[in-house]
Amino acid sequence: MSYGALGLVEVLGSCNAVVVLDQMLKTSEVEFRTWHTKCGGHATVFLSGDVAAVKAAIDAVKGNPPCEIVAAAVISAPSEETSRLVEEEEAKHHK
């Protein structure tokens, strides 16, 4: 699958991940793709949409963070390998 852009936001805690995701989905026309959790409580939320929508969603949580944002990024026109990574993570959660 090809994405216009991918957005990633890393927070501490699954609850915070849901709150951040909710804020981003309410901000612009983006779609939740998946999330990834690690030991230590880090959770990364992945979303997609056109570049402007993803940037607006990421900027919204960075500008008015509902919790501590560990890291955030927008990847425009992600490579096939990056898209595959997201799709593999989606498959793990949507069995």
Coordinates of all heavy atoms in Angstrom, one line a residue:
M1 N 0.8 -1.2 0.0 CA 0.0 0.0 0.0 C 0.9 1.2 0.0 O 1.9 1.3 0.6 CB -0.9 0.0 1.2 CG -1.7 1.2 1.4 SD -2.8 1.2 2.8 CE -4.1 0.1 2.2
S2 N 0.5 2.3 -0.7 CA 1.2 3.5 -0.7 C 0.5 4.6 0.1 O -0.7 4.7 0.1 CB 1.2 4.0 -2.2 OG 1.9 5.2 -2.3
Y3 N 1.3 5.3 0.9 CA 0.8 6.3 1.8 C 1.3 7.7 1.3 O 2.5 7.8 0.9 CB 1.3 6.1 3.2 CG 1.0 4.7 3.8 CD1 1.9 3.8 3.9 CD2 -0.3 4.4 4.2 CE1 1.6 2.5 4.4 CE2 -0.6 3.2 4.7 CZ 0.4 2.2 4.8 OH 0.1 1.0 5.4
G4 N 0.4 8.7 1.4 CA 0.9 10.0 1.1 C 1.9 10.4 2.1 O 3.0 11.0 1.8
A5 N 1.6 10.1 3.4 CA 2.5 10.4 4.5 C 2.2 9.5 5.7 O 1.0 9.0 5.8 CB 2.4 11.8 4.9
L6 N 3.2 9.2 6.4 CA 3.0 8.5 7.7 C 3.4 9.4 8.8 O 4.3 10.2 8.7 CB 4.0 7.3 7.8 CG 3.6 6.0 7.0 CD1 4.7 5.0 7.1 CD2 2.3 5.4 7.4
G7 N 2.6 9.3 9.9 CA 2.9 10.1 11.1 C 3.2 9.1 12.2 O 2.5 8.1 12.3
L8 N 4.2 9.4 13.0 CA 4.5 8.6 14.2 C 4.6 9.5 15.4 O 5.2 10.6 15.3 CB 5.9 7.9 14.0 CG 6.0 7.0 12.8 CD1 6.4 7.8 11.6 CD2 7.1 6.0 13.1
V9 N 4.0 9.0 16.5 CA 4.1 9.8 17.8 C 4.4 8.7 18.9 O 3.7 7.7 19.0 CB 2.8 10.5 18.1 CG1 3.0 11.2 19.5 CG2 2.5 11.5 17.1
E10 N 5.5 9.0 19.6 CA 5.9 8.1 20.7 C 5.6 8.7 22.0 O 5.9 9.9 22.2 CB 7.4 7.7 20.6 CG 7.8 6.7 21.7 CD 9.3 6.4 21.6 OE1 9.9 6.7 20.6 OE2 9.8 5.7 22.5
V11 N 4.9 8.0 22.9 CA 4.6 8.4 24.3 C 4.9 7.4 25.3 O 5.2 6.2 24.9 CB 3.1 8.8 24.4 CG1 2.7 10.0 23.4 CG2 2.2 7.6 24.1
L12 N 4.8 7.7 26.5 CA 4.9 6.7 27.6 C 3.5 6.2 28.0 O 2.7 7.1 28.4 CB 5.7 7.2 28.8 CG 7.2 7.4 28.6 CD1 7.8 8.1 29.8 CD2 7.8 6.0 28.4
G13 N 3.2 5.0 27.8 CA 2.0 4.4 28.3 C 0.9 4.3 27.2 O 0.7 5.1 26.4
S14 N 0.2 3.1 27.3 CA -0.9 2.9 26.3 C -2.0 3.8 26.4 O -2.6 4.2 25.4 CB -1.4 1.4 26.5 OG -0.3 0.5 26.3
C15 N -2.3 4.2 27.6 CA -3.4 5.2 27.8 C -3.1 6.5 27.1 O -3.9 7.1 26.4 CB -3.7 5.4 29.3 SG -5.0 6.5 29.7
N16 N -1.9 7.0 27.3 CA -1.5 8.2 26.6 C -1.5 8.0 25.1 O -1.8 9.0 24.4 CB -0.1 8.6 27.1 CG -0.1 9.2 28.5 OD1 -1.1 9.7 29.0 ND2 1.0 9.1 29.2
A17 N -1.2 6.9 24.6 CA -1.2 6.6 23.2 C -2.6 6.8 22.7 O -2.8 7.4 21.6 CB -0.7 5.2 22.9
V18 N -3.6 6.3 23.4 CA -5.0 6.4 23.0 C -5.4 7.9 23.0 O -6.1 8.4 22.1 CB -5.9 5.6 23.9 CG1 -7.4 5.8 23.5 CG2 -5.6 4.1 23.6
V19 N -5.0 8.6 24.0 CA -5.4 10.0 24.2 C -4.8 10.8 23.0 O -5.5 11.7 22.4 CB -5.0 10.6 25.5 CG1 -5.2 12.1 25.6 CG2 -5.7 9.9 26.6
V20 N -3.5 10.6 22.7 CA -2.9 11.3 21.6 C -3.5 10.9 20.3 O -3.8 11.8 19.4 CB -1.3 10.9 21.6 CG1 -0.7 11.3 20.2 CG2 -0.6 11.6 22.7
L21 N -3.8 9.7 20.1 CA -4.5 9.2 18.8 C -5.8 9.9 18.7 O -6.2 10.4 17.6 CB -4.7 7.7 18.9 CG -5.5 7.1 17.7 CD1 -4.8 7.4 16.4 CD2 -5.7 5.6 17.9
D22 N -6.6 10.0 19.7 CA -7.9 10.6 19.7 C -7.8 12.1 19.3 O -8.5 12.6 18.4 CB -8.6 10.5 21.1 CG -10.0 11.1 21.0 OD1 -10.9 10.6 20.3 OD2 -10.2 12.1 21.8
Q23 N -6.8 12.8 19.9 CA -6.6 14.2 19.5 C -6.2 14.3 18.0 O -6.8 15.2 17.4 CB -5.5 14.8 20.4 CG -5.3 16.3 20.2 CD -4.4 16.9 21.2 OE1 -4.2 16.4 22.3 NE2 -3.7 18.0 20.8
M24 N -5.4 13.5 17.5 CA -5.0 13.6 16.1 C -6.1 13.3 15.2 O -6.3 13.9 14.2 CB -3.8 12.7 15.9 CG -2.5 13.1 16.6 SD -1.0 12.2 16.1 CE -1.4 10.6 16.7
L25 N -6.9 12.3 15.5 CA -8.0 11.9 14.6 C -9.1 13.0 14.6 O -9.7 13.2 13.6 CB -8.7 10.6 15.1 CG -7.8 9.3 14.9 CD1 -8.5 8.1 15.6 CD2 -7.6 9.0 13.4
K26 N -9.2 13.7 15.7 CA -10.2 14.8 15.7 C -9.6 16.1 15.0 O -10.4 17.0 14.7 CB -10.5 15.2 17.2 CG -11.4 14.1 17.8 CD -11.6 14.4 19.3 CE -12.4 13.4 20.0 NZ -12.5 13.7 21.5
T27 N -8.3 16.2 14.8 CA -7.7 17.4 14.3 C -7.8 17.4 12.8 O -8.1 18.5 12.2 CB -6.2 17.4 14.7 OG1 -6.1 17.5 16.1 CG2 -5.5 18.6 14.1
S28 N -7.6 16.3 12.1 CA -7.6 16.3 10.6 C -8.0 15.0 10.1 O -8.1 14.0 10.8 CB -6.2 16.7 10.1 OG -5.2 15.8 10.5
E29 N -8.1 14.9 8.8 CA -8.5 13.7 8.1 C -7.3 12.7 7.9 O -6.7 12.6 6.9 CB -9.1 14.1 6.7 CG -9.9 13.1 6.0 CD -11.2 12.8 6.8 OE1 -11.8 13.7 7.4 OE2 -11.6 11.6 6.7
V30 N -7.1 12.0 9.0 CA -6.0 11.0 9.1 C -6.6 9.7 9.5 O -7.7 9.6 10.0 CB -4.9 11.4 10.0 CG1 -4.1 12.6 9.5 CG2 -5.4 11.6 11.4
E31 N -5.9 8.6 9.2 CA -6.4 7.3 9.5 C -5.4 6.6 10.4 O -4.2 6.5 10.2 CB -6.6 6.5 8.2 CG -7.2 5.1 8.5 CD -7.4 4.4 7.2 OE1 -7.4 5.0 6.1 OE2 -7.6 3.1 7.2
F32 N -5.9 6.0 11.5 CA -5.1 5.2 12.4 C -4.6 3.9 11.7 O -5.4 3.2 11.0 CB -5.9 4.8 13.6 CG -5.2 3.8 14.5 CD1 -4.0 4.1 15.2 CD2 -5.7 2.5 14.7 CE1 -3.4 3.2 16.0 CE2 -5.1 1.6 15.5 CZ -3.9 1.9 16.2
R33 N -3.3 3.6 11.7 CA -2.8 2.4 11.0 C -2.6 1.3 12.1 O -3.1 0.2 11.9 CB -1.5 2.7 10.3 CG -1.5 3.8 9.3 CD -2.4 3.7 8.1 NE -2.8 2.4 7.6 CZ -3.8 2.2 6.8 NH1 -4.5 3.1 6.4 NH2 -4.1 0.9 6.4
T34 N -1.7 1.6 13.1 CA -1.4 0.6 14.1 C -0.7 1.3 15.2 O -0.5 2.5 15.2 CB -0.6 -0.5 13.5 OG1 -0.4 -1.6 14.4 CG2 0.8 0.0 13.0
W35 N -0.2 0.5 16.2 CA 0.6 1.0 17.2 C 1.6 -0.1 17.6 O 1.4 -1.2 17.3 CB -0.1 1.6 18.4 CG -0.9 0.6 19.3 CD1 -1.2 -0.7 19.0 CD2 -1.4 0.9 20.5 NE1 -1.9 -1.2 20.0 CE2 -2.1 -0.2 21.0 CE3 -1.4 2.0 21.3 CZ2 -2.7 -0.3 22.2 CZ3 -2.1 2.0 22.6 CH2 -2.7 0.8 23.0
H36 N 2.7 0.4 18.2 CA 3.7 -0.6 18.6 C 4.1 -0.2 20.1 O 4.4 0.9 20.4 CB 4.9 -0.4 17.7 CG 6.1 -1.3 18.0 ND1 6.1 -2.7 17.7 CD2 7.2 -1.1 18.6 CE1 7.2 -3.2 18.1 NE2 7.9 -2.3 18.7
T37 N 4.2 -1.2 20.9 CA 4.6 -1.0 22.3 C 5.9 -1.7 22.5 O 6.3 -2.7 21.9 CB 3.6 -1.5 23.3 OG1 3.3 -2.9 23.0 CG2 2.3 -0.7 23.1
K38 N 6.7 -1.2 23.5 CA 8.0 -1.7 23.9 C 8.0 -1.9 25.4 O 7.3 -1.2 26.1 CB 9.1 -0.8 23.5 CG 9.5 -0.8 22.0 CD 10.4 -1.9 21.7 CE 11.0 -1.8 20.4 NZ 11.8 -2.9 20.0
C39 N 8.9 -2.7 25.9 CA 9.2 -2.8 27.3 C 9.5 -1.4 27.8 O 10.1 -0.6 27.1 CB 10.3 -3.7 27.6 SG 9.9 -5.4 27.2
G40 N 9.2 -1.1 29.0 CA 9.4 0.2 29.6 C 8.3 1.2 29.3 O 8.3 2.3 29.8
G41 N 7.2 0.7 28.7 CA 6.0 1.5 28.5 C 5.9 2.4 27.3 O 4.9 3.1 27.2
H42 N 6.9 2.4 26.5 CA 6.8 3.3 25.3 C 5.8 2.7 24.3 O 5.8 1.5 24.0 CB 8.2 3.4 24.6 CG 9.2 4.2 25.4 ND1 9.5 5.5 25.0 CD2 9.8 4.0 26.6 CE1 10.3 6.0 25.9 NE2 10.6 5.1 26.8
A43 N 5.0 3.6 23.7 CA 4.1 3.2 22.7 C 4.2 4.2 21.5 O 4.2 5.4 21.8 CB 2.6 3.3 23.3
T44 N 4.2 3.7 20.3 CA 4.3 4.5 19.1 C 3.0 4.3 18.3 O 2.7 3.2 18.0 CB 5.5 4.2 18.3 OG1 6.7 4.3 19.1 CG2 5.6 5.1 17.1
V45 N 2.4 5.4 18.0 CA 1.1 5.4 17.2 C 1.5 5.8 15.8 O 2.3 6.7 15.6 CB 0.1 6.4 17.8 CG1 -1.1 6.5 16.9 CG2 -0.2 6.1 19.2
F46 N 1.0 5.0 14.8 CA 1.2 5.2 13.4 C -0.1 5.7 12.8 O -1.2 5.0 13.0 CB 1.6 4.0 12.7 CG 3.0 3.4 13.1 CD1 3.1 2.7 14.3 CD2 4.1 3.6 12.3 CE1 4.3 2.2 14.7 CE2 5.3 3.1 12.7 CZ 5.5 2.4 13.9
L47 N -0.1 6.7 12.0 CA -1.3 7.1 11.2 C -0.9 7.5 9.8 O 0.3 7.7 9.6 CB -2.0 8.3 12.0 CG -1.2 9.5 12.3 CD1 -1.3 10.6 11.3 CD2 -1.6 10.0 13.7
S48 N -1.8 7.6 9.0 CA -1.5 8.0 7.6 C -2.6 8.9 7.1 O -3.6 9.1 7.7 CB -1.5 6.7 6.7 OG -2.8 6.1 6.6
G49 N -2.3 9.5 5.9 CA -3.1 10.5 5.2 C -2.3 11.3 4.3 O -1.1 11.0 4.0
D50 N -2.9 12.3 3.7 CA -2.1 13.2 2.9 C -1.1 14.0 3.7 O -1.3 14.1 5.0 CB -2.9 14.1 1.9 CG -3.7 15.1 2.7 OD1 -3.2 15.8 3.5 OD2 -4.9 15.2 2.3
V51 N -0.1 14.5 3.1 CA 1.0 15.1 3.9 C 0.5 16.3 4.8 O 0.8 16.4 6.0 CB 2.1 15.7 2.9 CG1 3.2 16.4 3.7 CG2 2.8 14.5 2.2
A52 N -0.4 17.1 4.3 CA -0.9 18.3 5.0 C -1.7 17.8 6.2 O -1.6 18.3 7.3 CB -1.7 19.2 4.1
A53 N -2.5 16.8 6.1 CA -3.4 16.3 7.2 C -2.5 15.6 8.2 O -2.7 15.9 9.4 CB -4.4 15.3 6.6
V54 N -1.5 14.8 7.8 CA -0.7 14.2 8.8 C 0.2 15.2 9.6 O 0.3 15.2 10.8 CB 0.3 13.1 8.2 CG1 1.3 12.6 9.1 CG2 -0.6 12.0 7.6
K55 N 0.7 16.2 8.9 CA 1.5 17.3 9.5 C 0.6 18.0 10.5 O 1.0 18.3 11.6 CB 2.1 18.2 8.5 CG 2.9 19.3 9.1 CD 3.8 20.0 8.0 CE 4.6 21.1 8.5 NZ 4.8 21.3 9.9
A56 N -0.7 18.3 10.1 CA -1.6 19.0 11.0 C -1.9 18.2 12.3 O -1.9 18.8 13.4 CB -2.9 19.4 10.3
A57 N -2.1 16.9 12.1 CA -2.3 16.1 13.3 C -1.1 16.0 14.2 O -1.3 16.1 15.4 CB -2.7 14.7 12.8
I58 N 0.1 15.9 13.7 CA 1.3 15.8 14.5 C 1.5 17.2 15.2 O 1.8 17.2 16.4 CB 2.5 15.4 13.6 CG1 2.3 14.0 13.0 CG2 3.8 15.5 14.5 CD1 2.3 12.9 14.0
D59 N 1.4 18.2 14.4 CA 1.6 19.6 15.0 C 0.6 19.8 16.1 O 0.9 20.5 17.1 CB 1.4 20.6 13.9 CG 2.6 20.7 13.0 OD1 3.7 20.0 13.3 OD2 2.5 21.3 11.9
A60 N -0.6 19.3 16.0 CA -1.7 19.5 17.0 C -1.2 18.9 18.4 O -1.4 19.6 19.4 CB -3.0 19.0 16.6
V61 N -0.7 17.7 18.3 CA -0.3 17.1 19.6 C 1.0 17.7 20.1 O 1.2 17.7 21.3 CB -0.3 15.6 19.6 CG1 -1.6 15.0 19.3 CG2 0.7 15.0 18.6
K62 N 1.9 18.1 19.2 CA 3.1 18.8 19.7 C 2.8 20.1 20.2 O 3.5 20.5 21.2 CB 4.1 18.8 18.5 CG 4.7 17.5 18.2 CD 5.6 17.5 16.9 CE 6.7 18.5 16.9 NZ 7.5 18.5 15.7
G63 N 1.9 20.9 19.7 CA 1.6 22.2 20.1 C 0.7 22.3 21.4 O 0.8 23.2 22.1
N64 N -0.1 21.3 21.6 CA -1.0 21.2 22.7 C -1.0 19.8 23.2 O -2.0 19.0 23.1 CB -2.4 21.6 22.4 CG -3.3 21.7 23.6 OD1 -2.8 21.8 24.7 ND2 -4.6 21.6 23.3
P65 N 0.2 19.3 23.8 CA 0.3 17.9 24.1 C -0.6 17.5 25.3 O -0.5 18.2 26.3 CB 1.8 17.7 24.5 CG 2.3 19.1 24.8 CD 1.4 20.1 24.1
P66 N -1.3 16.4 25.2 CA -2.1 15.9 26.3 C -1.3 15.1 27.3 O -1.7 14.8 28.4 CB -3.2 15.0 25.6 CG -2.4 14.5 24.4 CD -1.6 15.6 24.0
C67 N 0.0 14.9 26.9 CA 0.9 14.1 27.8 C 2.3 14.4 27.2 O 2.4 15.1 26.2 CB 0.6 12.6 27.7 SG 0.7 11.9 26.1
E68 N 3.3 13.8 27.8 CA 4.7 14.0 27.3 C 4.8 13.3 26.0 O 4.6 12.1 25.9 CB 5.7 13.5 28.3 CG 7.1 13.7 27.8 CD 8.2 13.1 28.8 OE1 7.8 12.7 29.9 OE2 9.3 13.1 28.4
I69 N 5.3 14.0 25.0 CA 5.6 13.4 23.7 C 7.1 13.1 23.7 O 7.9 14.0 23.8 CB 5.2 14.4 22.5 CG1 3.8 14.8 22.6 CG2 5.5 13.7 21.2 CD1 2.7 13.8 22.4
V70 N 7.4 11.8 23.5 CA 8.8 11.4 23.5 C 9.4 11.8 22.2 O 10.5 12.3 22.1 CB 9.0 9.9 23.8 CG1 10.4 9.5 23.7 CG2 8.4 9.6 25.2
A71 N 8.7 11.5 21.1 CA 9.2 11.8 19.8 C 8.0 11.8 18.8 O 7.0 11.2 19.1 CB 10.2 10.7 19.3
A72 N 8.2 12.6 17.7 CA 7.1 12.7 16.7 C 7.8 12.9 15.4 O 8.8 13.6 15.3 CB 6.2 13.8 17.0
A73 N 7.2 12.4 14.3 CA 7.8 12.6 13.0 C 6.7 12.4 11.9 O 5.7 11.7 12.1 CB 8.9 11.5 12.7
V74 N 7.0 13.1 10.8 CA 6.1 12.9 9.6 C 7.1 12.4 8.5 O 8.1 13.0 8.3 CB 5.5 14.3 9.2 CG1 4.7 14.1 7.9 CG2 4.6 14.8 10.3
I75 N 6.7 11.4 7.8 CA 7.4 10.8 6.7 C 6.6 11.0 5.5 O 5.6 10.3 5.3 CB 7.8 9.3 6.9 CG1 8.6 9.2 8.2 CG2 8.6 8.8 5.7 CD1 8.8 7.7 8.6
S76 N 7.0 11.9 4.6 CA 6.2 12.0 3.4 C 6.7 11.0 2.3 O 7.9 10.7 2.3 CB 6.3 13.5 2.8 OG 7.6 13.8 2.6
A77 N 5.8 10.5 1.6 CA 6.1 9.5 0.5 C 7.0 8.4 1.1 O 8.2 8.3 0.6 CB 6.7 10.2 -0.7
P78 N 6.6 7.7 2.1 CA 7.5 6.7 2.7 C 7.9 5.6 1.7 O 7.1 5.3 0.7 CB 6.7 6.1 3.8 CG 5.3 6.3 3.5 CD 5.3 7.6 2.7
S79 N 9.1 5.1 1.9 CA 9.6 4.0 1.0 C 8.8 2.8 1.1 O 8.0 2.6 2.0 CB 11.1 3.7 1.3 OG 11.1 3.0 2.6
E80 N 8.9 1.9 0.1 CA 8.2 0.6 0.1 C 8.5 -0.2 1.4 O 7.7 -0.8 2.0 CB 8.6 -0.2 -1.1 CG 7.9 0.2 -2.4 CD 8.2 -0.7 -3.5 OE1 8.3 -1.9 -3.3 OE2 8.4 -0.2 -4.6
E81 N 9.8 -0.2 1.8 CA 10.2 -0.9 3.0 C 9.6 -0.3 4.3 O 9.1 -1.1 5.1 CB 11.7 -0.9 3.1 CG 12.5 -1.6 2.1 CD 12.7 -0.8 0.8 OE1 12.3 0.4 0.7 OE2 13.1 -1.4 -0.2
T82 N 9.5 1.0 4.3 CA 8.8 1.6 5.5 C 7.3 1.3 5.5 O 6.8 0.9 6.6 CB 9.0 3.1 5.5 OG1 10.4 3.4 5.5 CG2 8.4 3.8 6.7
S83 N 6.7 1.3 4.4 CA 5.3 0.9 4.3 C 5.1 -0.5 4.7 O 4.1 -0.8 5.4 CB 4.8 1.2 2.9 OG 4.8 2.6 2.5
R84 N 6.0 -1.4 4.2 CA 5.9 -2.8 4.6 C 6.0 -3.0 6.1 O 5.3 -3.8 6.7 CB 7.0 -3.6 3.9 CG 6.9 -5.1 4.1 CD 8.0 -5.9 3.4 NE 9.3 -5.3 3.4 CZ 10.2 -5.4 4.5 NH1 9.8 -6.0 5.6 NH2 11.4 -4.8 4.4
L85 N 6.9 -2.2 6.7 CA 7.0 -2.3 8.2 C 5.7 -2.0 8.9 O 5.3 -2.7 9.8 CB 8.1 -1.3 8.7 CG 9.4 -1.8 9.1 CD1 10.4 -0.6 9.2 CD2 9.3 -2.4 10.4
V86 N 5.0 -1.0 8.4 CA 3.7 -0.6 9.0 C 2.7 -1.7 8.8 O 2.0 -2.1 9.7 CB 3.3 0.8 8.5 CG1 1.9 1.1 8.9 CG2 4.2 1.9 8.9
E87 N 2.7 -2.2 7.6 CA 1.7 -3.3 7.2 C 1.9 -4.5 8.0 O 1.0 -5.2 8.5 CB 1.8 -3.5 5.7 CG 1.2 -2.4 4.9 CD 1.6 -2.5 3.4 OE1 2.2 -3.5 3.0 OE2 1.4 -1.5 2.7
E88 N 3.2 -4.9 8.3 CA 3.5 -6.0 9.1 C 3.0 -5.8 10.6 O 2.5 -6.7 11.2 CB 5.0 -6.3 9.1 CG 5.5 -6.9 7.8 CD 7.0 -7.1 7.7 OE1 7.7 -6.7 8.7 OE2 7.5 -7.5 6.6
E89 N 3.2 -4.6 11.1 CA 2.7 -4.3 12.4 C 1.2 -4.3 12.5 O 0.6 -4.8 13.4 CB 3.3 -2.9 12.9 CG 3.2 -2.7 14.3 CD 4.1 -3.6 15.1 OE1 5.2 -4.1 14.7 OE2 3.7 -3.9 16.3
E90 N 0.6 -3.8 11.4 CA -0.9 -3.9 11.3 C -1.4 -5.3 11.4 O -2.4 -5.6 12.1 CB -1.4 -3.2 10.0 CG -1.4 -1.7 10.0 CD -2.0 -1.2 8.7 OE1 -1.3 -1.4 7.7 OE2 -3.0 -0.5 8.8
A91 N -0.7 -6.2 10.6 CA -1.1 -7.6 10.6 C -1.1 -8.3 11.9 O -1.9 -9.1 12.2 CB -0.3 -8.3 9.5
K92 N -0.1 -7.9 12.7 CA 0.0 -8.5 14.1 C -1.2 -8.1 14.9 O -1.6 -8.9 15.8 CB 1.3 -7.9 14.8 CG 2.6 -8.5 14.2 CD 3.7 -7.8 15.1 CE 5.0 -8.0 14.4 NZ 6.1 -7.3 15.1
H93 N -1.7 -6.9 14.8 CA -2.8 -6.4 15.6 C -4.2 -6.7 15.1 O -5.2 -6.6 15.8 CB -2.7 -4.9 15.8 CG -1.5 -4.6 16.7 ND1 -0.3 -4.3 16.2 CD2 -1.4 -4.5 18.0 CE1 0.6 -4.0 17.2 NE2 -0.1 -4.2 18.3
H94 N -4.3 -7.1 13.8 CA -5.6 -7.3 13.2 C -5.8 -8.7 12.7 O -6.3 -8.9 11.6 CB -5.8 -6.3 12.0 CG -5.6 -4.9 12.3 ND1 -5.9 -4.4 13.6 CD2 -5.3 -3.8 11.6 CE1 -5.7 -3.1 13.6 NE2 -5.3 -2.7 12.4
K95 N -5.3 -9.6 13.5 CA -5.5 -11.1 13.1 C -6.9 -11.5 13.2 O -7.7 -11.1 14.0 CB -4.6 -11.9 14.0 CG -3.2 -11.8 13.7 CD -2.3 -12.7 14.6 CE -0.9 -12.5 14.2 NZ 0.0 -13.4 15.0

